[in-house]
Amino acid sequence: MGDRVRAARRTILASARDESRGLPFADGVMRAVNQAVGFDGYCLFAVDPVTGLRCAMYAEHGLVVPTERLVFNETVERDFNRYAELIRRPGHAGVLAMHTTPEPPSPRLHEILRPLGYQSELRLALVDDGRYWGALSLFRDDRWQPFSDAEAETAAELVGPLATALRRHQVRRTDSRQATRSAGIVLVGREGRFLTVSQEAQTWLGDLTSEGVIVEDVSRVVHEVARAAAAGRRDALCRARTTDGRWLVISGSRTPVEPVAVTVVVQPADTGQVIPAFAAWSGLSHRESEVLGLATTGLAAKQIARRLGLSVLTVNDHLGSTYRKTGVSGRDELLALMS
């Protein structure tokens, strides 16, 4: 591992501790990536660690393409380096460029990237601790040499720190609190096209955007939930965090009323809905997650111990470990972080 890669890894992990919101976080992380592998544009996203569905996006000079086109390419078209493939591939990295793409031609390269001026793409699936946390795509225009396999190997050295950065940012502490709003609805047709987006849903999606990321970009979150629901998945949902720190749950269900195929609901999440993803992002053990779930209901340590057949000392040890992992000083701060 070279000095530039070591420096990039250190900077990424330092940025992960930054509690800024939106682009400042991503900007710090991506400046570090640029130290190791240069690029012209990027798209970084996080997924709900329980369902694997996209829940947060960060981008600069990304792909200005209708979301339906990107989803179709990722899920239907025959192409190279799909995220699902990279998750299973050793190193979790792949390069897409003219000199690396055998027949048949890549629709993503020829129909999406090149019309936007990009000549090559380097993708990373952010897999760490045996779990998929998100992904990163880097783009280069014709002023650069295309990404090489050697650069893909270099980028693969950043997978662990990038996954850590995304995990920490999803459970960051914020001071902003605003009055809650009602749920929003998105009606999705059989080809994945949005038929109706309520004003409430539009506003919630706006709360997921940041500089460099627009509503069209974050609508990919809704598209992935809708596609999962259309495929019959019972866990067609993701937990997402707004830029001011509020938690949302975005869930989809089949709707057998033409022309609607799926109804997606965007609404504030309750603490019970947040816990599974929060526990995974925070690195909590199964038992720590159980104790956390009971603590959020207001039970005292003695009551939690009785419920789980543990000693009070053990329960307090689990709570103390949870406080350390989440960077809080006590139960009140922890509950505030999850609400």
Side-chain angles (χ1 to χ4, degrees):
M1 187 186 302
D3 291 341
R4 287 191 306 167
V5 176
R6 290 190 186 92
R9 287 169 62 92
R10 288 194 299 270
T11 305
I12 290 169
L13 291 173
S15 298
R17 291 187 287 271
D18 182 2
E19 294 180 359
S20 300
R21 68 187 201 181
L23 190 65
F25 154 77
D27 191 45
V29 167
M30 295 310 300
R31 285 179 188 275
V33 172
N34 200 40
Q35 294 174 16
V37 180
F39 56 87
D40 292 303
Y42 74 84
C43 175
L44 173 68
F45 66 86
V47 300
D48 182 308
V50 179
T51 65
L53 299 178
R54 193 176 305 218
C55 66
M57 289 191 60
Y58 317 91
E60 188 171 20
H61 306 305
L63 302 181
V64 187
V65 178
T67 298
E68 294 95 331
R69 179 69 185 94
L70 296 174
V71 172
F72 181 78
N73 175 254
E74 196 67 36
T75 58
V76 178
E77 286 184 305
R78 183 180 178 186
D79 215 324
F80 303 90
N81 301 331
R82 288 183 178 180
Y83 296 120
E85 173 191 343
L86 294 178
I87 291 170
R88 299 187 297 269
R89 182 184 301 175
H92 311 297
V95 170
L96 182 61
M98 290 294 293
H99 71 288
T100 64
T101 307
E103 294 295 331
S106 162
R108 188 165 72 256
L109 178 62
H110 294 283
E111 299 175 19
I112 297 176
L113 293 171
R114 294 188 70 184
L116 294 174
Y118 291 127
Q119 302 301 316
S120 65
E121 175 192 56
L122 194 165
R123 279 187 168 190
L124 293 176
L126 304 181
V127 178
D128 194 37
D129 291 336
R131 181 171 267 173
Y132 173 49
W133 304 100
L136 171 65
S137 292
L138 304 178
F139 312 110
R140 278 183 180 171
D141 64 26
D142 56 10
R143 296 172 298 176
W144 295 72
Q145 289 293 321
F147 291 109
S148 65
D149 290 339
E151 287 175 310
E153 292 178 5
T154 296
E157 298 284 354
L158 305 179
V159 164
L162 286 168
T164 297
L166 282 180
R167 291 173 62 179
R168 290 179 178 172
H169 192 62
Q170 303 318 304
V171 293
R172 67 196 182 278
R173 286 186 291 179
T174 63
D175 296 326
S176 176
R177 286 291 178 269
Q178 298 184 18
T180 189
R181 298 193 300 270
S182 58
I185 300 293
V186 181
L187 301 181
V188 184
R190 297 204 173 278
E191 295 183 356
R193 190 174 301 278
F194 290 180
L195 304 176
T196 301
V197 181
S198 72
Q199 183 59 55
E200 293 83 1
Q202 188 78 10
T203 302
W204 280 124
L205 292 178
D207 288 342
L208 295 176
T209 64
S210 60
E211 186 176 348
V213 178
I214 60 176
V215 170
E216 174 66 26
D217 295 329
V218 299
S219 70
R220 181 70 181 266
V221 173
V222 176
H223 277 281
E224 290 201 6
V225 167
R227 187 166 191 85
R233 282 183 53 175
R234 301 178 68 178
D235 63 345
L237 65 85
C238 71
R239 272 106 346 182
R241 204 142 183 231
T242 65
T243 52
D244 62 14
R246 287 176 290 177
W247 290 96
L248 301 178
V249 61
I250 302 171
S251 59
S253 58
R254 284 177 171 175
T255 307
V257 179
E258 290 291 348
V260 179
V262 171
T263 298
V264 176
V265 180
V266 185
Q267 61 187 329
D270 61 40
T271 303
Q273 292 170 314
V274 171
I275 286 175
F278 181 90
W281 279 316
S282 301
L284 303 187
S285 69
H286 175 70
R287 186 63 87 182
E288 287 166 349
S289 300
E290 285 186 315
V291 170
L292 173 62
L294 293 173
T296 61
T297 66
L299 293 181
K302 184 175 181 179
Q303 295 170 305
I304 295 173
R306 189 178 302 116
R307 288 279 188 96
L308 297 179
L310 302 173
S311 70
V312 174
L313 179 61
T314 299
V315 168
N316 284 328
D317 283 345
H318 286 316
L319 286 172
S321 176
T322 298
Y323 301 154
R324 289 191 297 275
K325 289 179 179 181
T326 56
V328 301
S329 60
R331 188 184 295 210
D332 289 343
E333 278 189 45
L334 180 62
L335 296 182
L337 184 59
M338 299 175 60
S339 61

